[in-house]
Amino acid sequence: MDHTQTVCVVGLGYIGLPTAAILASHGHDVIGVDVNPRHVDEVNEGRVPFIEPDLETVVAGAVARGRLHAQAHMPWADAYIVAVPTPFADTYDVDPRHIKAAAEAIAPQLRGGELIILESTSPPGLTEQMGQYILDARPDLTLEPGEHNTLYLAHCPERVLPGRVMIEIVDNDRIIGGVTDEAAIKARDLYATFCKGELLITDARTAEMAKLVENSYRDVNIAFANELSIISDRLGIDVWELIELANHHPRVNILQPGPGVGGHCIAVDPWFIVAAAPEEAKLVRLAREVNDAKPDFVLEKVMSKAAKFREPVIAALGIAFKADIDDLRESPSKAIVERLAGEVEHAKLLIAEPNVDALPSSLADRPNVELASVEDAIERADIVLVLVDHHEFKTLDRELLAEKIVVDTKGLWR
Ligand SMILES: NC(=O)c1ccc[n+]([C@@H]2O[C@H](COP(=O)([O-])OP(=O)(O)OC[C@H]3O[C@@H](n4cnc5c(N)ncnc54)[C@H](O)[C@@H]3O)[C@@H](O)[C@H]2O)c1
C-alpha cells in the first residue's frame, strides 16, 4: 500500500490506539475515530488514556508530526481498521452492537475500492456480518472482486500481550483472513508496512476461529492448573511444587494456577466457540466453568480464615486481571474482593493495587474498603491475600509477613 494513503482506525482503546500509532509512525496518515470524547481529546493532546509502556511516546510523536489525529465523526479513508469491543451477550453469543454501529457509520463514507479490516475478536461469520451491515446500508456496493464499487473485507485478529503491545504489534506473526482472496492480499500489504512477523493468509472464518482457538487453548490449560490447585489443597499437597516437579518431564508443561481467569480475551473468547457449536464444544465449556468457579474456592478459603477473628483485617494484594497492568476488566481478583467486601461485612479490607490511583466505584463506595500502600496494608492486616503477581509484591520484605495468615493464590512467596 502507498504510504500516502489514509487509514481510519475505529475505536481508540487498548488495541486500536497502538495500531493507529504504529501505522502513523510508519508513514500512514491516520485518523482515529472514537465515540468516547475523552479518548479523542487525550489522543489529540498526544496522551494515552490507559497504561501501556512506550505507547505515549509514539502517540505524541505521531500527533506532533501531523500523522495522527482523532475525531468523533467517521471520515472517508482508503482503509478502515475496526477495533471496537465485542462483548458477549447473556447467551454467550457475541453482542455485535458496536460492530454494527461502526459499520453503519463507515457505510455512508464509502466510494468503492476501500479495504475494511475487522480486528475485534469475532465469532466465525462476524466479519461477513459486518460486510452485510455495510451492504444493507449501501446496496450500490459489492464484495465481488474487480468491480469499480468493490469493498475488500478482511479479519486480522490481534494477539498482543498487554504491557508488551508496542513490541508485539510489530514482531508477532499475524493471521490475515480475507472474505475474498483479493481482500486478504490488500490487508497483507497494509500490515506488511509495519509488521516484521510472518503474515499468514487464510479466509475470514478460519482467521476468526484461530484467534478463539488460541485463547481456548490457554483457558483449557489454565483450567487444568486451577483444578490441580483445588485437588492438591484437598490432598494436602503443595501445588506449586507438584507442577514444578511434573514439568521436569520432557513433554509436560503445566501452566500456573491463580485466582481465576480474567481479562476480556481468555475469559470471553472461548464462549464464542461454545455459542457457535454448543453440542460439540464440551471441553471448551468445562474449562470456562472450572476457571469461573475458582474465585469461589479462593473466597471460601479466605472466609474460613477470617472466621477466626472478630473483626478481621484483610490485605488484598492486587485487583488487576494480570500482573503489572491497570486493566480491571473481567478481573477475578476484583470480583473476589467485591464479594469479600459484601459477604464479610464485619471485615476491614485494605486493597493494595499499585497501578491505580483510585478504587472502582464498586469498591470505593463501601465503608469497609480502603485503598492502601502494600506495606501499610500488610502491616495492619491479620490475613494477607495475594491475588496478582505485580512486581512490587514479588520483592517485598518477607519480614512484613511474620505472624500473618497468608492466602497466596499466585504462589508468590513459596
Ligand atoms: N485488549 C487486548 O489485549 C485485546 C487483545 C486482542 C484482541 N482484543 C479485541 O480487540 C477489540 C477491542 O478491544 P480493546 O481492548 O481495544 O477495547 P477498548 O474498550 O479498550 O477499546 C474500544 C474502543 O472502541 C470505542 N468504541 C466503541 N464503539 C465505537 C464505535 N461505534 N465507533 C467508534 N469507537 C467505538 C470505545 O469508546 C473504546 O475506546 C475487542 O474485540 C477485543 O476482544 C483485545
Side-chain angles (χ1 to χ4, degrees):
M1 171 168 281
D2 182 336
H3 273 202
T4 57
Q5 286 187 309
T6 308
V7 184
C8 173
V9 178
V10 186
L12 296 174
Y14 287 87
I15 293 300
L17 186 51
T19 305
I22 214 84
L23 280 163
S25 69
H26 283 75
H28 298 281
D29 283 325
V30 181
I31 304 164
V33 171
D34 204 294
V35 290
N36 182 341
R38 188 171 72 88
H39 283 213
V40 170
D41 292 346
E42 291 208 22
V43 170
N44 285 333
E45 286 159 18
R47 290 187 289 115
V48 172
F50 47 85
I51 293 182
E52 183 56 51
D54 301 329
L55 175 57
E56 192 151 282
T57 316
V58 184
V59 168
V63 170
R65 286 195 307 280
R67 287 282 185 197
L68 172 63
H69 165 77
Q71 60 191 46
H73 64 272
M74 193 69 67
W76 175 84
D78 296 291
Y80 293 83
I81 295 184
V82 177
V84 298
T86 41
F88 57 66
D90 293 343
T91 54
Y92 290 135
D93 207 348
V94 71
D95 172 355
R97 83 195 121 105
H98 303 292
I99 302 283
K100 188 167 189 278
E104 287 173 353
I106 292 170
Q109 310 302 329
L110 298 171
R111 300 167 187 167
E114 293 88 354
L115 170 66
I116 305 165
I117 297 172
L118 181 58
E119 274 208 15
S120 304
T121 303
S122 303
L126 190 60
T127 306
E128 289 160 39
Q129 180 63 58
M130 183 177 78
Q132 196 52 54
Y133 292 138
I134 293 173
L135 293 182
D136 287 347
R138 291 290 306 274
D140 56 310
L141 299 172
T142 178
L143 301 183
E144 285 300 316
E147 306 292 334
H148 72 281
N149 56 348
T150 299
L151 299 178
Y152 297 91
L153 244 80
H155 179 63
C156 302
E158 188 54 78
R159 40 161 82 124
V160 287
L161 184 71
R164 278 179 49 84
V165 170
M166 296 314 282
I167 298 164
E168 295 202 356
I169 204 166
V170 173
D171 288 350
N172 285 359
D173 295 342
R174 283 202 86 120
I175 299 173
I176 297 183
V179 168
T180 57
D181 294 348
E182 292 76 6
I185 287 163
K186 277 183 183 281
R188 183 198 58 194
D189 291 348
L190 177 59
Y191 285 97
T193 61
F194 68 92
C195 279
K196 288 196 210 140
E198 218 178 315
L199 302 173
L200 306 154
I201 287 198
T202 183
D203 59 83
R205 277 181 178 249
T206 309
E208 289 165 334
M209 193 63 178
K211 165 73 189 176
L212 304 182
V213 164
E214 289 165 15
N215 281 338
S216 295
Y217 172 87
R218 304 271 304 152
D219 201 42
V220 168
N221 282 280
I222 297 167
F224 181 62
N226 276 336
E227 189 164 285
L228 285 182
S229 73
I230 295 171
I231 295 169
S232 299
D233 186 73
R234 161 72 74 91
L235 302 180
I237 290 169
D238 177 346
V239 69
W240 313 100
E241 186 188 358
L242 175 72
I243 291 174
E244 197 177 302
L245 292 173
N247 281 349
H248 277 268
H249 184 293
R251 285 166 297 282
V252 171
N253 185 16
I254 303 170
L255 301 183
Q256 301 294 302
V261 169
H264 29 79
C265 290
I266 300 182
V268 174
D269 302 352
W271 287 122
F272 293 162
I273 299 182
V274 175
E279 293 300 317
E280 294 79 8
K282 296 188 181 70
L283 184 59
V284 176
R285 178 198 292 272
L286 191 58
R288 270 295 59 245
E289 287 167 356
V290 167
N291 286 331
D292 274 355
K294 186 70 194 287
D296 298 338
F297 171 83
V298 176
L299 198 69
E300 272 172 35
K301 214 76 252 121
V302 179
M303 283 167 73
S304 73
K305 308 276 186 208
K308 299 186 181 117
F309 297 88
R310 210 156 52 87
E311 289 181 341
V313 180
I314 304 169
L317 306 196
I319 53 169
F321 86 80
K322 66 189 276 292
D324 301 328
I325 59 166
D326 65 342
D327 194 344
L328 309 182
R329 293 179 295 174
E330 312 288 333
S331 167
S333 309
K334 179 167 144 273
I336 288 168
V337 174
E338 282 165 356
R339 283 176 62 191
L340 266 177
E343 291 176 31
V344 197
E345 278 173 12
H346 60 291
K348 176 90 187 162
L349 264 166
L350 305 171
I351 299 175
E353 177 44 82
N355 298 299
V356 302
D357 298 327
L359 290 173
S361 59
S362 59
L363 288 165
D365 297 344
R366 292 187 182 271
N368 58 340
V369 175
E370 194 183 303
L371 185 63
S373 74
V374 61
E375 287 81 8
D376 182 38
I378 293 178
E379 195 184 322
R380 289 159 62 194
D382 303 305
I383 300 166
V384 177
L385 168 61
V386 183
L387 292 166
V388 187
D389 47 347
H390 288 318
H391 72 271
E392 292 90 344
F393 305 158
K394 288 184 185 163
T395 51
L396 264 181
D397 179 1
R398 305 282 172 91
E399 290 286 299
L400 289 170
L401 299 169
E403 322 262 311
K404 307 290 176 188
I405 295 173
V406 175
V407 178
D408 184 354
T409 69
K410 297 297 290 183
L412 209 61
W413 300 324
R414 288 184 51 222

